[in-house]
mmCIF file of all heavy atoms in Angstrom:
data_model
loop_
_atom_site.group_PDB
_atom_site.id
_atom_site.type_symbol
_atom_site.label_atom_id
_atom_site.label_comp_id
_atom_site.label_asym_id
_atom_site.label_seq_id
_atom_site.Cartn_x
_atom_site.Cartn_y
_atom_site.Cartn_z
ATOM 1 N N ALA C 852 -36.412 -26.270 -28.600
ATOM 2 C CA ALA C 852 -37.837 -25.989 -28.694
ATOM 3 C C ALA C 852 -38.267 -24.985 -27.645
ATOM 4 O O ALA C 852 -39.283 -24.328 -27.780
ATOM 5 C CB ALA C 852 -38.615 -27.291 -28.538
ATOM 6 N N GLY C 853 -37.482 -24.858 -26.589
ATOM 7 C CA GLY C 853 -37.799 -23.871 -25.572
ATOM 8 C C GLY C 853 -38.761 -24.433 -24.530
ATOM 9 O O GLY C 853 -39.133 -25.602 -24.569
ATOM 10 N N LYS C 854 -39.161 -23.564 -23.638
ATOM 11 C CA LYS C 854 -40.085 -24.020 -22.588
ATOM 12 C C LYS C 854 -41.467 -24.242 -23.177
ATOM 13 O O LYS C 854 -41.846 -23.662 -24.180
ATOM 14 C CB LYS C 854 -40.170 -22.942 -21.489
ATOM 15 C CG LYS C 854 -39.050 -23.040 -20.502
ATOM 16 C CD LYS C 854 -39.376 -22.301 -19.197
ATOM 17 C CE LYS C 854 -38.408 -22.773 -18.121
ATOM 18 N NZ LYS C 854 -38.309 -21.940 -16.966
ATOM 19 N N ASN C 855 -42.191 -25.074 -22.528
ATOM 20 C CA ASN C 855 -43.584 -25.339 -22.934
ATOM 21 C C ASN C 855 -43.710 -25.746 -24.389
ATOM 22 O O ASN C 855 -44.577 -25.280 -25.111
ATOM 23 C CB ASN C 855 -44.462 -24.090 -22.727
ATOM 24 C CG ASN C 855 -44.311 -23.540 -21.332
ATOM 25 O OD1 ASN C 855 -44.230 -24.300 -20.369
ATOM 26 N ND2 ASN C 855 -44.240 -22.243 -21.234
ATOM 27 N N ALA C 856 -42.797 -26.591 -24.831
ATOM 28 C CA ALA C 856 -42.898 -27.017 -26.226
ATOM 29 C C ALA C 856 -43.720 -28.289 -26.311
ATOM 30 O O ALA C 856 -43.675 -29.133 -25.424
ATOM 31 C CB ALA C 856 -41.509 -27.258 -26.793
ATOM 32 N N THR C 857 -44.436 -28.447 -27.402
ATOM 33 C CA THR C 857 -45.218 -29.670 -27.570
ATOM 34 C C THR C 857 -44.268 -30.799 -27.951
ATOM 35 O O THR C 857 -43.247 -30.576 -28.601
ATOM 36 C CB THR C 857 -46.248 -29.505 -28.699
ATOM 37 O OG1 THR C 857 -45.526 -29.289 -29.918
ATOM 38 C CG2 THR C 857 -47.157 -28.324 -28.417
ATOM 39 N N PRO C 858 -44.624 -32.011 -27.572
ATOM 40 C CA PRO C 858 -43.771 -33.165 -27.932
ATOM 41 C C PRO C 858 -43.611 -33.300 -29.440
ATOM 42 O O PRO C 858 -42.572 -33.724 -29.930
ATOM 43 C CB PRO C 858 -44.511 -34.377 -27.346
ATOM 44 C CG PRO C 858 -45.418 -33.822 -26.311
ATOM 45 C CD PRO C 858 -45.759 -32.431 -26.724
ATOM 46 N N GLY C 859 -44.670 -32.931 -30.148
ATOM 47 C CA GLY C 859 -44.596 -33.028 -31.609
ATOM 48 C C GLY C 859 -43.498 -32.146 -32.168
ATOM 49 O O GLY C 859 -42.691 -32.543 -33.017
ATOM 50 N N LEU C 860 -43.427 -30.912 -31.613
ATOM 51 C CA LEU C 860 -42.415 -29.973 -32.066
ATOM 52 C C LEU C 860 -41.026 -30.533 -31.770
ATOM 53 O O LEU C 860 -40.112 -30.461 -32.601
ATOM 54 C CB LEU C 860 -42.618 -28.627 -31.355
ATOM 55 C CG LEU C 860 -41.634 -27.523 -31.736
ATOM 56 C CD1 LEU C 860 -41.707 -27.232 -33.219
ATOM 57 C CD2 LEU C 860 -41.918 -26.261 -30.941
ATOM 58 N N VAL C 861 -40.892 -31.087 -30.594
ATOM 59 C CA VAL C 861 -39.584 -31.628 -30.207
ATOM 60 C C VAL C 861 -39.180 -32.728 -31.185
ATOM 61 O O VAL C 861 -38.042 -32.809 -31.640
ATOM 62 C CB VAL C 861 -39.640 -32.181 -28.761
ATOM 63 C CG1 VAL C 861 -38.325 -32.827 -28.407
ATOM 64 C CG2 VAL C 861 -39.969 -31.065 -27.796
ATOM 65 N N LYS C 862 -40.134 -33.596 -31.509
ATOM 66 C CA LYS C 862 -39.836 -34.682 -32.454
ATOM 67 C C LYS C 862 -39.369 -34.123 -33.786
ATOM 68 O O LYS C 862 -38.392 -34.578 -34.377
ATOM 69 C CB LYS C 862 -41.130 -35.520 -32.631
ATOM 70 C CG LYS C 862 -40.909 -36.897 -33.182
ATOM 71 C CD LYS C 862 -40.901 -37.976 -32.076
ATOM 72 C CE LYS C 862 -40.030 -39.174 -32.465
ATOM 73 N NZ LYS C 862 -40.050 -39.558 -33.841
ATOM 74 N N ASN C 863 -40.093 -33.119 -34.285
ATOM 75 C CA ASN C 863 -39.716 -32.512 -35.559
ATOM 76 C C ASN C 863 -38.291 -32.012 -35.540
ATOM 77 O O ASN C 863 -37.509 -32.229 -36.456
ATOM 78 C CB ASN C 863 -40.642 -31.331 -35.887
ATOM 79 C CG ASN C 863 -41.984 -31.814 -36.362
ATOM 80 O OD1 ASN C 863 -42.110 -32.947 -36.798
ATOM 81 N ND2 ASN C 863 -42.984 -30.951 -36.281
ATOM 82 N N ILE C 864 -37.976 -31.305 -34.466
ATOM 83 C CA ILE C 864 -36.644 -30.727 -34.360
ATOM 84 C C ILE C 864 -35.588 -31.825 -34.347
ATOM 85 O O ILE C 864 -34.548 -31.730 -34.988
ATOM 86 C CB ILE C 864 -36.539 -29.855 -33.099
ATOM 87 C CG1 ILE C 864 -37.502 -28.680 -33.220
ATOM 88 C CG2 ILE C 864 -35.127 -29.356 -32.904
ATOM 89 C CD1 ILE C 864 -37.508 -27.786 -32.009
ATOM 90 N N GLU C 865 -35.914 -32.871 -33.586
ATOM 91 C CA GLU C 865 -34.954 -33.976 -33.513
ATOM 92 C C GLU C 865 -34.591 -34.486 -34.893
ATOM 93 O O GLU C 865 -33.424 -34.724 -35.223
ATOM 94 C CB GLU C 865 -35.565 -35.133 -32.725
ATOM 95 C CG GLU C 865 -35.080 -35.218 -31.309
ATOM 96 C CD GLU C 865 -35.752 -36.334 -30.547
ATOM 97 O OE1 GLU C 865 -35.861 -37.441 -31.111
ATOM 98 O OE2 GLU C 865 -36.167 -36.077 -29.417
ATOM 99 N N GLU C 866 -35.629 -34.656 -35.719
ATOM 100 C CA GLU C 866 -35.365 -35.167 -37.061
ATOM 101 C C GLU C 866 -34.577 -34.179 -37.878
ATOM 102 O O GLU C 866 -33.616 -34.511 -38.562
ATOM 103 C CB GLU C 866 -36.690 -35.473 -37.769
ATOM 104 C CG GLU C 866 -37.265 -36.812 -37.355
ATOM 105 C CD GLU C 866 -38.714 -36.928 -37.786
ATOM 106 O OE1 GLU C 866 -39.111 -36.195 -38.712
ATOM 107 O OE2 GLU C 866 -39.424 -37.737 -37.184
ATOM 108 N N GLU C 867 -35.037 -32.926 -37.801
ATOM 109 C CA GLU C 867 -34.401 -31.891 -38.603
ATOM 110 C C GLU C 867 -32.914 -31.739 -38.314
ATOM 111 O O GLU C 867 -32.105 -31.546 -39.195
ATOM 112 C CB GLU C 867 -35.103 -30.583 -38.293
ATOM 113 C CG GLU C 867 -35.283 -29.661 -39.461
ATOM 114 C CD GLU C 867 -35.825 -28.344 -38.958
ATOM 115 O OE1 GLU C 867 -36.997 -28.336 -38.530
ATOM 116 O OE2 GLU C 867 -35.059 -27.365 -38.955
ATOM 117 N N TRP C 868 -32.583 -31.825 -37.042
ATOM 118 C CA TRP C 868 -31.208 -31.545 -36.647
ATOM 119 C C TRP C 868 -30.356 -32.796 -36.525
ATOM 120 O O TRP C 868 -29.154 -32.721 -36.346
ATOM 121 C CB TRP C 868 -31.179 -30.794 -35.306
ATOM 122 C CG TRP C 868 -31.625 -29.376 -35.425
ATOM 123 C CD1 TRP C 868 -32.886 -28.947 -35.677
ATOM 124 C CD2 TRP C 868 -30.823 -28.223 -35.307
ATOM 125 N NE1 TRP C 868 -32.935 -27.585 -35.717
ATOM 126 C CE2 TRP C 868 -31.671 -27.100 -35.481
ATOM 127 C CE3 TRP C 868 -29.478 -27.998 -35.078
ATOM 128 C CZ2 TRP C 868 -31.209 -25.808 -35.423
ATOM 129 C CZ3 TRP C 868 -29.009 -26.704 -35.012
ATOM 130 C CH2 TRP C 868 -29.881 -25.623 -35.198
ATOM 131 N N GLY C 869 -30.985 -33.924 -36.584
ATOM 132 C CA GLY C 869 -30.208 -35.168 -36.558
ATOM 133 C C GLY C 869 -29.484 -35.419 -35.258
ATOM 134 O O GLY C 869 -28.277 -35.645 -35.247
ATOM 135 N N PHE C 870 -30.211 -35.384 -34.148
ATOM 136 C CA PHE C 870 -29.516 -35.561 -32.883
ATOM 137 C C PHE C 870 -29.110 -36.988 -32.584
ATOM 138 O O PHE C 870 -28.537 -37.277 -31.540
ATOM 139 C CB PHE C 870 -30.353 -34.978 -31.734
ATOM 140 C CG PHE C 870 -30.382 -33.484 -31.757
ATOM 141 C CD1 PHE C 870 -31.580 -32.812 -31.747
ATOM 142 C CD2 PHE C 870 -29.209 -32.771 -31.824
ATOM 143 C CE1 PHE C 870 -31.606 -31.429 -31.784
ATOM 144 C CE2 PHE C 870 -29.230 -31.391 -31.879
ATOM 145 C CZ PHE C 870 -30.429 -30.715 -31.857
ATOM 146 N N ASP C 871 -29.439 -37.889 -33.493
ATOM 147 C CA ASP C 871 -28.975 -39.253 -33.265
ATOM 148 C C ASP C 871 -27.561 -39.434 -33.781
ATOM 149 O O ASP C 871 -26.863 -40.362 -33.403
ATOM 150 C CB ASP C 871 -29.891 -40.250 -33.986
ATOM 151 C CG ASP C 871 -31.237 -40.294 -33.321
ATOM 152 O OD1 ASP C 871 -31.264 -40.125 -32.086
ATOM 153 O OD2 ASP C 871 -32.231 -40.487 -34.026
ATOM 154 N N ASP C 872 -27.155 -38.546 -34.658
ATOM 155 C CA ASP C 872 -25.824 -38.683 -35.243
ATOM 156 C C ASP C 872 -24.746 -38.363 -34.213
ATOM 157 O O ASP C 872 -25.012 -37.872 -33.134
ATOM 158 C CB ASP C 872 -25.676 -37.737 -36.447
ATOM 159 C CG ASP C 872 -26.761 -37.980 -37.472
ATOM 160 O OD1 ASP C 872 -27.211 -39.127 -37.579
ATOM 161 O OD2 ASP C 872 -27.156 -36.999 -38.136
ATOM 162 N N SER C 873 -23.512 -38.653 -34.628
ATOM 163 C CA SER C 873 -22.400 -38.365 -33.727
ATOM 164 C C SER C 873 -22.218 -36.850 -33.597
ATOM 165 O O SER C 873 -22.706 -36.074 -34.417
ATOM 166 C CB SER C 873 -21.112 -38.983 -34.273
ATOM 167 O OG SER C 873 -20.846 -38.392 -35.524
#
Side-chain angles (χ1 to χ4, degrees):
Chain C
K854 277 199 164 163
N855 309 320
T857 63
L860 181 59
V861 176
K862 199 99 208 323
N863 284 340
I864 296 178
E865 259 177 45
E866 279 166 21
E867 217 187 291
W868 287 70
F870 288 126
D871 290 327
D872 304 329
S873 62

